[in-house]
Amino acid sequence: MIELVRTNDPVVISFVESLLRDAGIACFVADQNMSIMEGSLGILPRRVMIDANDEAAARQLLKDAGIGDEARFDDGNNA
């Protein structure tokens, strides 16, 4: 799996999940339960993970929805 989106914004996470689900692209939200560890402050970002085979379609989907800049690209700078 690869990381598509990393954000603290629950609205963005929900929107991305909805877009992917409607397009038939399976996703998993990692670190969703970390808010328990941080005291529900929303400090730790959550990650939307997808299968690497769906990467191009998912990125295009986010771009078409106007949130393409939320996607993370593996250019070596997204550690």
Side-chain angles (χ1 to χ4, degrees):
M1 296 197 96
I2 63 163
E3 180 181 326
L4 179 65
V5 172
R6 180 185 299 185
T7 183
N8 296 19
D9 189 336
V11 175
V12 171
I13 294 285
S14 179
F15 185 51
V16 170
E17 281 183 291
S18 178
L19 287 172
L20 293 172
R21 182 179 52 246
D22 290 348
I25 299 173
C27 69
F28 170 75
V29 179
D31 307 323
Q32 194 163 4
N33 295 321
M34 289 302 291
S35 65
I36 295 168
M37 299 295 290
E38 68 179 32
S40 299
L41 297 174
I43 296 169
L44 299 174
R46 291 169 204 80
R47 299 173 292 148
V48 177
M49 310 295 287
I50 60 168
D51 188 272
N53 295 330
D54 295 324
E55 181 178 12
R59 291 190 189 285
Q60 186 62 49
L61 187 65
L62 295 186
K63 183 178 176 185
D64 292 346
I67 60 168
D69 46 336
E70 293 289 340
R72 297 180 61 86
F73 294 92
D74 188 14
D75 60 2
N77 296 321
N78 290 328

